[in-house]
């Protein structure tokens, strides 16, 4: 909805100006079926499009091209794992310039631990919290997206600069948040190497 508002505002201000929509999921449309399907009833995919779509695609396309140029290699003959790290974080396997797998799924909630997003989590936490904490689906979704990740683990901040400073001063929550973030990222690096089949570059943004 926020993007639509921007488009409409631009149309009003510049009615003759062509506009182009670039979808953040487009780069990941080269993922093979075994990478984007969830192991759920296939009718949910055919009827509702429930699958892994990924995000940060515009960033990955640019970074892959720049990496190949920096290394003076042909992007069509390279395997790279790119970690897009920030408050929203993901990681992608890129082989021959094409996305093979990525950590985000149907929504940006899946995958790495992020600033306020939990990343991978047991889906049964929804029924568990509904039964025991009396939380609604909307409340749980809000918590997993905006109150979790490094903020939730540290009970302090989602800003790595603050967490690193606090950890250096012995803050246990900050130490735990950074440890969990790094550990999950390292596990995903290994997994993305499987998707590439080989590795020429490990790239951090």
């Amino acid at each position: 909805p926020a993007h639509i508002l921007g488009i409409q505002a631009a149309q009003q201000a510049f009615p003759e100006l062509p506009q182009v929509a670039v979808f953040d999921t487009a780069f990941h449309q080269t993922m093979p079926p075994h990478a984007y399907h969830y192991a759920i009833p296939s009718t949910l995919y055919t009827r509702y499009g429930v699958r892994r779509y990924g995000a940060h695609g515009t960033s990955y396309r640019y970074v892959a091209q720049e990496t190949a140029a920096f290394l003076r290699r042909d992007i069509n003959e390279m395997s790279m794992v790119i970690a897009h790290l920030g408050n929203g974080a993901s990681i992608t396997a890129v082989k021959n310039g094409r996305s093979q797998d990525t950590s985000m799924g149907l929504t940006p909630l899946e995958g790495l631990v992020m600033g306020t997003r939990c990343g991978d989590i047991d889906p049964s936490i929804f029924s568990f919290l509904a039964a025991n904490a009396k939380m609604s689906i909307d409340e749980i979704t809000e918590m997993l997206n905006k109150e979790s990740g490094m903020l939730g683990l540290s009970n302090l901040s989602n800003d790595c600069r603050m967490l690193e400073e606090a950890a250096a001063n012995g803050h246990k929550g900050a130490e735990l948040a950074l440890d969990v973030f790094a550990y999950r990222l390292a596990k995903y690096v290994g997994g993305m190497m499987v998707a590439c089949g080989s590795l020429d570059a490990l790239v951090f943004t």
Side-chain angles (χ1 to χ4, degrees):
H3 292 212
I4 299 295
L5 287 174
I7 290 171
Q8 292 172 340
Q11 285 176 328
Q12 291 175 1
F14 311 103
E16 303 303 317
L17 190 69
Q19 295 195 54
V20 178
V22 180
F23 288 86
D24 218 19
T25 58
F27 182 70
H28 301 297
Q29 292 301 297
T30 56
M31 288 194 298
H34 66 258
Y36 68 70
H37 272 281
Y38 286 116
I40 56 177
S42 58
T43 53
L44 296 175
Y45 169 67
T46 55
R47 291 180 185 175
Y48 307 107
V50 178
R51 53 159 284 179
R52 303 181 64 252
Y53 288 97
H56 298 149
T58 51
S59 171
Y60 284 120
R61 182 177 180 183
Y62 171 77
V63 171
Q65 291 170 342
E66 288 298 298
T67 299
F70 178 79
L71 296 175
R72 298 179 181 178
R73 297 278 303 275
D74 183 351
I75 195 173
N76 297 310
E77 297 177 357
M78 285 188 69
S79 295
M80 60 184 87
V81 173
I82 306 173
H84 175 106
L85 304 180
N87 199 47
S90 65
I91 188 168
T92 292
V94 180
K95 186 175 182 68
N96 303 332
R98 297 161 67 90
S99 174
Q100 302 300 307
D101 199 358
T102 192
S103 57
M104 286 183 168
L106 176 71
T107 75
L109 187 59
E110 184 182 352
L112 301 178
V113 172
M114 306 175 216
T116 62
R117 295 186 186 122
C118 63
D120 292 340
I121 196 166
D122 183 346
S124 292
I125 198 169
F126 276 86
S127 58
F128 179 86
L129 291 178
N132 291 278
K134 308 305 178 189
M135 296 173 70
S136 68
I137 289 177
D138 287 344
E139 288 172 333
I140 298 169
T141 301
E142 179 84 357
M143 180 266 293
L144 296 178
N145 275 285
K146 297 184 178 179
E147 301 168 18
S148 300
M150 289 191 284
L151 173 63
L153 283 166
S154 69
N155 199 28
L156 179 66
S157 176
N158 62 317
D159 189 323
C160 278
R161 295 166 295 187
M162 183 178 292
L163 293 176
E164 288 175 356
E165 182 178 343
N169 291 321
H171 190 288
K172 297 302 180 184
E175 291 177 2
L176 178 63
L178 293 170
D179 285 347
V180 172
F181 174 82
Y183 175 67
R184 293 275 192 92
L185 174 60
K187 286 208 302 183
Y188 258 101
V189 169
M192 290 302 166
M193 288 173 63
V194 173
C196 277
S198 61
L199 186 64
D200 297 306
L202 175 58
V203 189
F204 296 95
T205 76

